[in-house]
Amino acid sequence: DTAVSQTPKYLVTQMGNDKSIKCEQNLGHDTMYWYKQDSKKFLKIMFSYNNKELIINETVPNRFSPKSPDKAHLNLHINSLELGDSAVYFCASRPGLAGLNTGELFFGEGSRLTVL
Amino acid sequence: GNSVTQMEGPVTLSEEAFLTINCTYTATGYPSLFWYVQYPGEGLQLLLKATKADDKGSNKGFEATYRKETTSFHLEKGSVQVSDSAVYFCALSDLSDTDKLIFGTGTRLQVFP
């Protein structure tokens, strides 16, 4: 069983469209994240949720709206897609609210979004 | 603010060569430091970590030592294999917000037989 799974893995769409990426983790973790990896492999945090509550919103345009229906799911909806949104989006999770000093992030395989 | 700087890649090596990937950091206080690895088509996986100065993290033949005096956490391996070809990310935990990891830009390693 995949611990952190994302769908879809690939998404090609036109500018201006709205799309969603779903993430589910079966690890029983409390905290989930969305990271964006650009074409140069630079990885940057976008959001984190702890038990359905938004913890981090890292100055992301409000076209991006995360939603956490329960602590095992964190979906990412993007409105009015732009060319610059093309990237690989990674979902990740970790247990508890304890600091990251002893923890680790568990990543999904990524969702490659291409905006034409 | 806190940041991580890695050497630019790609690093190209022959099998059994010695590997060093440099990583330096800027942080207030004493963050924990991590190396993550991303194999082609996969998500990132934790490779090793160190939580305090002079700690050495190790896994799968890779090692990195937390050097406070030089603010570095260089990744080393004595003899690389083709299967080590991947992108390696250095990261630190942000002490001002411990719910966040800050990643370096990644270094691609290519190992040829």
Side-chain angles (χ1 to χ4, degrees), chain B residues 22-101:
Chain B
N22 290 339
C23 171
T24 57
Y25 67 90
T26 301
T28 53
Y30 305 106
S32 290
L33 300 174
F34 306 82
W35 276 101
Y36 276 78
V37 58
Q38 184 181 23
Y39 298 104
E42 298 183 10
L44 282 73
Q45 306 169 27
L46 179 67
L47 180 60
L48 53 84
K49 66 182 180 186
T51 58
K52 60 183 187 298
D54 299 326
D55 267 4
K56 177 186 283 189
S58 62
N59 186 24
K60 299 181 181 179
F62 291 89
E63 292 183 340
T65 301
Y66 190 144
R67 303 278 189 206
K68 184 166 70 73
E69 61 277 12
T70 54
T71 62
S72 65
F73 193 54
H74 304 323
L75 182 69
E76 296 182 336
K77 186 174 185 181
S79 176
V80 293
Q81 305 300 312
V82 173
S83 58
D84 294 326
S85 298
V87 181
Y88 292 82
F89 292 87
C90 186
L92 64 80
S93 57
D94 188 335
L95 291 180
S96 66
D97 183 349
T98 55
D99 200 39
K100 189 162 68 175
L101 276 183

Side-chain angles (χ1 to χ4, degrees), chain A residues 31 33 35 37 40-43 45 48 55-56 58 90 94 98-105 107-109, chain B residues 31-32 34 36 38 41-46 49 51 87 89 93 95 97-101 103-106 108:
Chain A
T31 306
Y33 303 80
Y35 276 83
Q37 186 178 48
K40 296 184 178 179
K41 296 291 188 182
F42 185 60
L43 199 66
I45 190 169
S48 79
I55 304 296
I56 293 174
E58 197 69 8
F90 285 100
R94 70 168 177 84
L100 286 172
N101 289 344
T102 56
E104 70 180 87
L105 295 186
F107 282 82
E109 294 180 349
Chain B
S32 290
F34 306 82
Y36 276 78
Q38 184 181 23
E42 298 183 10
L44 282 73
Q45 306 169 27
L46 179 67
K49 66 182 180 186
T51 58
V87 181
F89 292 87
S93 57
L95 291 180
D97 183 349
T98 55
D99 200 39
K100 189 162 68 175
L101 276 183
F103 286 88
T105 52
R108 180 178 297 278

Side-chain angles (χ1 to χ4, degrees), chain A residues 29-97:
Chain A
H29 289 170
D30 292 324
T31 306
M32 296 183 71
Y33 303 80
W34 279 109
Y35 276 83
K36 179 181 179 180
Q37 186 178 48
D38 63 24
S39 58
K40 296 184 178 179
K41 296 291 188 182
F42 185 60
L43 199 66
K44 188 172 181 184
I45 190 169
M46 300 174 68
F47 302 102
S48 79
Y49 269 71
N50 179 265
N51 205 5
K52 303 191 296 177
E53 180 183 349
L54 179 66
I55 304 296
I56 293 174
N57 181 341
E58 197 69 8
T59 321
V60 177
N62 57 15
R63 297 183 295 103
F64 291 79
S65 53
K67 284 189 171 49
S68 182
D70 56 62
K71 76 173 193 176
H73 294 84
L74 180 61
N75 303 324
L76 182 65
H77 188 75
I78 316 170
N79 289 328
S80 303
L81 279 157
E82 300 177 357
L83 293 177
D85 298 332
S86 295
V88 181
Y89 293 85
F90 285 100
C91 179
S93 71
R94 70 168 177 84
L97 257 185

